[in-house]
Amino acid sequence: MRRAILLSTSLVLLAACNREVPIRADVIYTGGTIYTGVEAGETVEAVAVGDGLIVYAGPMDGAITSASSGANIVRLPDDAVMFPGFTDSHVHLSGVGERELTLNLDQVRSVGELQAALTAYREANPGVDRIYGRGWIETHWPEGRFPMASDIDEVIADIPVVLTRADGHAAVANTAALNAADITPATEAPAGGEILYTDAGEPSGMLIDNAMELVWGLFAAPTIEDMSRFVSTGYDVYASRGWTGLHNMSVGGLELEALTELAIDGTVPLRTYNAVVPEQFEAAANRSPTGDRMTTRAVKIYMDGALGSRGALLFQPYSDAPDTVGLALREEEETVEFFQRAVDGDVQLAIHAIGDLANHRALIWMEDVFGEEVPEHRWRVEHAQIVQDEDQLRFAELGTVASMQPSHAIGDLHFAPSRLGMARLGDAYAWQDLMDKGVVIAGGSDAPVEVGDPIIEFYAATVRRDLEGFATDGWHREQALSRFDALRIFTQNAAYAAFQEDELGTIEIGNLADFSVFNQDLMTIEDEEILATEPVMTIVSGEIVWQAAD
């Protein structure tokens, strides 16, 4: 891999001159439809791969000429469609794996279903002395409210239970967990957190953002063996969905250790770009681990919470909660100092900011540090969900990447109007406005907050309706992207956001041979057909790392 990366720059130069590279192909992919991703609608008949690189793209006869004797020809099904490899620009890899291996609540649709899921889990695991789960989100529930400790107590009252909201910015605990953590009406929430209360003044069970720390001590920290299972399972899930790469967010020390072992062994299945937690700053500064299919050079920090749990930091109060503007998770002085440290260490920052005030602060504090000459650090704002027009311009002026997750918009459309009011929706999930201003948008999913499916993300980006085809009035569907622009945010733009645009993002000679193959043409099918698309094959460095059983 390292040899391939070193070669790639010179190969691209050769390709620009004569469309040839001094490597013979060992595998040729042909059949179906192959989109290069270079220009809208551009296709080729065949792609030849040698030493993990694209050595030819064009008519089949040229592919044969480029091949060594005994080269393998992989004929795709007639209905298969190959694209440059799709990259999820914002995912929590270990969280995806943990979701699969613990109590997964992402299909729960009411308080009653939450209780049923807990009951079934307890029956299947009678020996547990505490339960942790994740994935619920109440915005579609008929009850129209957060779950409460009393809801959980009705089915499990004798052992602690903590269930994290899908966005990871809130959790509900039962009474046993609240008691075990000594959370009482007199307990003060930590800075950047909030404890919700019942009308009677008792803790309701809902803990927002940093207040969740109060119950984490009830659960044993995962071991390195646990983390290795989480990461490996996450990779398996992502390969099976057609992702060839991922930008792995908020990577802590234990996960970094597990990933380092894979990097040393050369067994990283998908191209991985790590953004570590601040405590692991030196790993990003030292680019460790970096090797076969893995790079580490970014640090993830938080400016605010999430919109659904009213933790996103807004200029004006929430329309449905006039007593709050959300949570500020960072102060100016410490943040500007951290920004300067990142500049000095040539470290990319990935800055979580959802509310308009959080985005504004992140950008103006960048301006303070950068000065008149903006450095080529490609700092990213993760989510960038509500951004006022003047700050959209700041994104462009500062060269800041907007790392956005289309599925957030089609989920949030059910509660964002009540949180923000109709007037502020024009600044929300403004993909087209940002792109028109010259901002690079990198597309992701934020799994396990969302499912982590490239088809859902592509649908959300281009259709801007929920999975049942619904969109509210005033949801600004003019912000939806064209099919080609949607492809770009998961390919070319994702590569740019990770400093990999000279190696990834298009099917061109000299690029790394990462391809996603699906069973429908995402560029041409009707909107309502997109969600029926399924992955056929996932190819990384020319190697098939997953393929459908049939």
Side-chain angles (χ1 to χ4, degrees):
M1 171 63 181
R2 181 172 296 280
R3 174 169 167 264
I5 290 176
L6 292 173
L7 280 171
S8 66
T9 302
S10 61
L11 293 178
V12 171
L13 292 174
L14 283 168
C17 298
N18 55 25
R19 309 303 294 174
E20 295 180 359
V21 294
I23 295 174
R24 306 301 293 177
D26 48 45
V27 61
I28 297 170
Y29 290 96
T30 188
T33 302
I34 301 174
Y35 282 100
T36 67
V38 178
E39 301 288 346
E42 182 178 279
T43 63
V44 292
E45 185 181 6
V47 177
V49 177
D51 198 20
L53 295 171
I54 300 170
V55 301
Y56 175 84
M60 185 61 179
D61 56 356
I64 296 296
T65 301
S66 74
S68 59
S69 60
N72 185 32
I73 297 178
V74 178
R75 294 194 179 278
L76 303 174
D78 290 343
D79 61 352
V81 184
M82 175 185 282
F83 297 95
F86 276 51
T87 294
D88 187 336
S89 298
H90 187 116
V91 58
H92 304 271
L93 179 63
S94 62
V96 172
E98 185 179 15
R99 178 178 63 183
E100 298 298 314
L101 297 171
T102 56
L103 175 57
N104 186 351
L105 300 170
D106 65 3
Q107 297 303 310
V108 163
R109 295 293 180 264
S110 67
V111 169
E113 289 189 15
L114 181 75
Q115 293 172 325
L118 275 170
T119 300
Y121 186 83
R122 181 70 179 279
E123 291 175 351
N125 300 273
V128 298
D129 63 355
R130 59 204 65 206
I131 295 174
Y132 172 76
R134 178 171 178 165
W136 62 269
I137 186 163
E138 83 297 338
T139 51
H140 300 161
W141 292 2
E143 294 84 1
R145 62 171 175 83
F146 287 130
M148 302 172 67
S150 57
D151 297 321
I152 303 175
D153 293 345
E154 289 180 13
V155 292
I156 300 179
D158 59 323
I159 62 173
V161 177
V162 177
L163 308 174
T164 303
R165 195 173 187 267
D167 60 11
H169 288 272
V172 60
N174 69 349
T175 300
L178 295 174
N179 291 340
D182 294 323
I183 298 174
T184 71
T187 302
E188 291 188 11
E194 184 179 5
I195 301 170
L196 302 189
Y197 295 91
T198 66
D199 292 340
E202 296 293 327
S204 72
M206 280 296 300
L207 307 170
I208 310 299
D209 282 301
N210 289 351
M212 294 186 292
E213 297 171 1
L214 299 172
V215 295
W216 289 153
L218 302 180
F219 298 89
T223 64
I224 184 61
E225 291 78 17
D226 293 331
M227 186 58 70
S228 295
R229 287 191 302 117
F230 295 161
V231 167
S232 295
T233 301
Y235 275 131
D236 289 344
V237 169
Y238 259 46
S240 72
R241 290 177 178 160
W243 298 109
T244 63
L246 56 97
H247 297 175
N248 190 18
M249 293 289 133
S250 302
V251 181
L254 193 65
E255 183 173 355
L256 203 61
E257 184 179 344
L259 292 170
T260 299
E261 290 181 359
L262 292 176
I264 291 172
D265 294 341
T267 55
V268 179
L270 305 181
R271 214 162 299 282
T272 305
Y273 184 82
N274 292 317
V276 300
V277 296
E279 293 77 11
Q280 300 298 322
F281 183 96
E282 293 305 319
N286 296 332
R287 310 292 195 258
S288 177
T290 293
D292 187 22
R293 300 182 183 173
M294 185 171 292
T295 304
T296 304
R297 68 171 294 170
V299 174
K300 167 80 178 297
I301 65 171
Y302 288 84
M303 294 293 295
D304 64 348
L307 185 67
S309 52
R310 300 188 186 88
L313 186 63
L314 304 177
F315 275 106
Q316 301 298 324
Y318 280 79
S319 297
D320 59 356
D323 58 339
T324 183
V325 295
L327 297 172
L329 301 185
R330 299 193 69 91
E331 298 298 329
E332 181 174 3
E333 183 177 355
E334 63 168 351
T335 305
V336 169
E337 289 178 358
F338 190 83
F339 282 10
Q340 188 62 57
R341 183 185 178 194
V343 169
D344 295 341
D346 190 24
V347 166
Q348 184 190 44
L349 290 187
I351 305 168
H352 168 115
I354 289 180
D356 50 11
L357 180 53
N359 277 278
H360 176 74
R361 288 181 175 178
L363 293 165
I364 62 171
W365 295 348
M366 282 187 216
E367 284 182 335
D368 291 344
V369 172
F370 292 164
E372 293 184 2
E373 294 189 14
V374 177
E376 178 63 12
H377 289 305
R378 299 188 195 179
W379 286 8
R380 308 157 50 131
V381 170
E382 307 299 320
H383 311 308
Q385 288 181 9
I386 305 112
V387 184
Q388 294 186 357
D389 188 70
E390 65 180 28
D391 285 323
Q392 292 178 22
L393 291 171
R394 279 194 173 91
F395 266 91
E397 292 165 358
L398 294 172
T400 303
V401 175
S403 173
M404 306 178 76
Q405 300 74 48
S407 58
H408 283 339
I410 66 170
D412 292 6
L413 71 83
H414 292 275
F415 63 82
S418 61
R419 296 284 191 275
L420 299 174
M422 298 306 290
R424 281 185 285 192
L425 288 182
D427 295 329
Y429 319 94
W431 311 322
Q432 192 62 61
D433 283 351
L434 284 162
M435 195 169 281
D436 288 345
K437 291 180 175 67
V439 178
V440 174
I441 298 177
S445 76
D446 202 12
V449 175
E450 303 289 349
V451 175
D453 185 333
I455 300 305
I456 291 176
E457 297 302 330
F458 189 89
Y459 167 86
T462 56
V463 179
R464 204 174 167 97
R465 295 181 181 273
D466 75 8
L467 300 184
E468 285 71 48
F470 171 78
T472 62
D473 292 338
W475 191 239
H476 296 277
R477 292 193 60 242
E478 72 276 5
Q479 295 293 341
L481 299 178
S482 70
R483 301 290 180 91
F484 182 64
D485 283 342
L487 177 65
R488 287 171 57 207
I489 70 174
F490 297 109
T491 54
Q492 295 183 48
N493 293 5
Y496 177 87
F499 302 90
Q500 296 169 331
E501 72 275 15
D502 291 336
E503 305 162 3
L504 291 170
T506 56
I507 296 179
E508 293 184 272
I509 295 175
N511 277 3
L512 294 163
D514 293 2
F515 314 125
S516 297
V517 185
F518 300 103
N519 69 344
Q520 295 198 101
D521 190 338
L522 295 172
M523 298 295 102
T524 62
I525 58 176
E526 297 297 325
D527 288 351
E528 57 271 19
E529 297 175 343
I530 293 175
L531 291 174
T533 305
E534 296 180 354
V536 173
M537 194 176 293
T538 304
I539 302 164
V540 181
S541 296
E543 172 193 353
I544 300 172
V545 297
W546 178 89
Q547 60 183 327
D550 58 352

